[in-house]
Amino acid sequence: MSKTIWIVVSLLMLVACSSTTPKWSLTAPKDTATTFITTGSGPNLKSAKADALQQLSNRLIVNVTNTTSTYNEKTTNGTVLQSIKSLGQLNSEQFSFVGNQVLSSETINNQTYVLIEVNKASVFTPIQNYLTLQITPLIDLQKTDQQIIANGLLLWPQLNTAEQYIELLHVYGEDQFSLKSELAQFKNLFMSLISEAELSIQIGSDSGSERLGLAPLLQKEFQTLLTKKQSAKHKIKMIIVGPTVSSYKKAPFFATSITAEQVITINDEQVLRRPISSFEFGLQEVQVLTEASASFFNQLALSQQQ
């Protein structure tokens, strides 16, 4: 008798569940060759779509959470920003999800459920652009040892991120240029060279460094490379000239400019010198400073060579 009761209860629960959510929201979505399929829910269609894209973003970035801190931010136009913490700030790699299409939607008990497809190219293209523009130029093995060391130091703040993004492309068969192998070779060579080197970081006495908290951030970012070596083959110095932080106010706008130079010397020979600058303006003073700082750290971490 008790077994019969449990069967009846189970059937009632299944009926109840089926009456409160669409069938397609109860099973894991199956992607196609060219699209991702994702589901979401919310109090209205707009929030349900945002939730669906959030779920897709979470599913995709699971491969980049092992060694970096990730955050997600929804925007009003349905875009999801995936953010990666580097140098204490947030570098946003945008998953635009352009051209997403609602396949089905249902509203049950004031809750809206959506089934959405997203073109895979809209996800992978920004990542491929990031790797092509920021990473590929740095991992050229046809360089001198000094250039490889300098490039390796530029790459270091984004190395884990690059590895995980490449792995994501590799999993989905989008690593068309063997970046995984090329980055692995460069990393091995760089680590071999840096093991025979002693690195120090020098930051200018400008008040901007203290205002931005630059020294502790750099010390933390490169801490595994800063060990002292008595018989070092190479003496490397990473020098930050500045940064200078300038603020302006002309009602109703606020503006902040941050400028600096990054210099790398090996055995007292300069092998790299590049300017870093950011400028932001807006109506909120604190927000302007925050955005200018984030832009500055993005450039420092992403190693844009100029």
Side-chain angles (χ1 to χ4, degrees):
M1 184 63 135
S2 60
K3 182 177 181 181
T4 303
I5 293 174
W6 277 113
I7 292 174
V8 172
V9 171
S10 299
L11 288 173
L12 289 174
M13 291 178 65
L14 287 173
V15 171
C17 290
S18 64
S19 65
T20 56
T21 57
K23 291 182 179 179
W24 43 259
S25 71
L26 299 176
T27 58
K30 294 183 179 180
D31 302 328
T32 71
T34 59
T35 62
F36 292 112
I37 308 297
T38 182
T39 63
S41 62
N44 52 54
L45 180 60
K46 180 179 179 180
S47 60
K49 289 178 64 176
D51 181 59
L53 297 179
Q54 183 78 69
Q55 297 303 320
L56 176 56
S57 180
N58 291 342
R59 177 153 59 100
L60 292 177
I61 67 173
V62 70
N63 286 321
V64 298
T65 58
N66 295 331
T67 51
T68 57
S69 301
T70 57
Y71 304 83
N72 290 311
E73 177 185 355
K74 301 174 188 174
T75 62
T76 56
N77 64 358
T79 293
V80 176
L81 296 182
Q82 179 217 345
S83 301
I84 299 172
K85 190 172 185 181
S86 179
L87 288 174
Q89 299 295 325
L90 296 179
N91 303 319
S92 296
E93 177 64 34
Q94 180 170 315
F95 290 160
S96 62
F97 298 139
V98 173
N100 64 80
Q101 181 178 351
V102 176
L103 299 178
S104 182
S105 67
E106 292 185 35
T107 300
I108 303 173
N109 296 334
N110 297 320
Q111 188 78 351
T112 299
Y113 301 86
V114 293
L115 180 68
I116 292 179
E117 70 172 7
V118 176
N119 191 312
K120 288 183 177 179
S122 71
V123 177
F124 295 133
T125 298
I127 295 177
Q128 290 168 331
N129 289 341
Y130 158 74
L131 294 171
T132 299
L133 296 174
Q134 302 293 343
I135 305 303
T136 302
L138 295 178
I139 61 176
D140 181 6
L141 293 174
Q142 306 302 315
K143 300 285 186 181
T144 65
D145 286 355
Q146 288 187 331
Q147 290 172 320
I148 288 175
I149 291 174
N151 283 2
L153 291 175
L154 292 180
L155 175 64
W156 188 256
Q158 288 294 309
L159 179 58
N160 289 330
T161 300
E163 287 179 322
Q164 298 301 332
Y165 274 140
I166 290 172
E167 182 62 27
L168 180 64
L169 294 181
H170 186 73
V171 167
Y172 285 96
E174 297 292 328
D175 182 12
Q176 301 175 359
F177 303 102
S178 303
L179 281 178
K180 184 176 182 179
S181 174
E182 292 176 15
L183 180 58
Q185 292 180 56
F186 179 88
K187 178 182 177 181
N188 289 337
L189 180 55
F190 169 70
M191 295 306 296
S192 174
L193 292 172
I194 204 71
S195 67
E196 302 176 330
E198 181 177 297
L199 171 67
S200 62
I201 297 177
Q202 300 177 8
I203 301 177
S205 58
D206 194 290
S207 60
S209 174
E210 183 175 351
R211 187 175 178 183
L212 297 175
L214 182 57
L217 291 175
L218 287 175
Q219 290 290 328
K220 181 179 180 180
E221 189 70 44
F222 291 92
Q223 60 182 344
T224 57
L225 303 181
L226 291 172
T227 55
K228 295 290 184 179
K229 299 182 178 69
Q230 294 182 349
S231 57
K233 182 177 180 180
H234 301 292
K235 298 286 187 178
I236 307 170
K237 294 179 182 178
M238 180 184 295
I239 305 167
I240 305 296
V241 182
T244 299
V245 181
S246 304
S247 299
Y248 312 91
K249 178 181 178 181
K250 186 173 183 180
F253 295 104
F254 296 91
T256 296
S257 172
I258 304 177
T259 59
E261 280 193 313
Q262 182 182 31
V263 179
I264 294 178
T265 66
I266 300 178
N267 300 328
D268 294 325
E269 178 183 349
Q270 179 178 302
V271 294
L272 182 138
R273 186 183 188 110
R274 67 187 185 104
I276 303 173
S277 64
S278 66
F279 177 82
E280 298 290 340
F281 74 95
L283 299 175
Q284 302 293 329
E285 184 175 12
V286 174
Q287 181 179 358
V288 167
L289 176 60
T290 299
E291 291 177 352
S293 300
S295 176
F296 175 81
F297 284 116
N298 282 349
Q299 293 180 61
L300 187 60
L302 290 173
S303 309
Q304 293 175 336
Q305 297 190 69
Q306 302 182 23

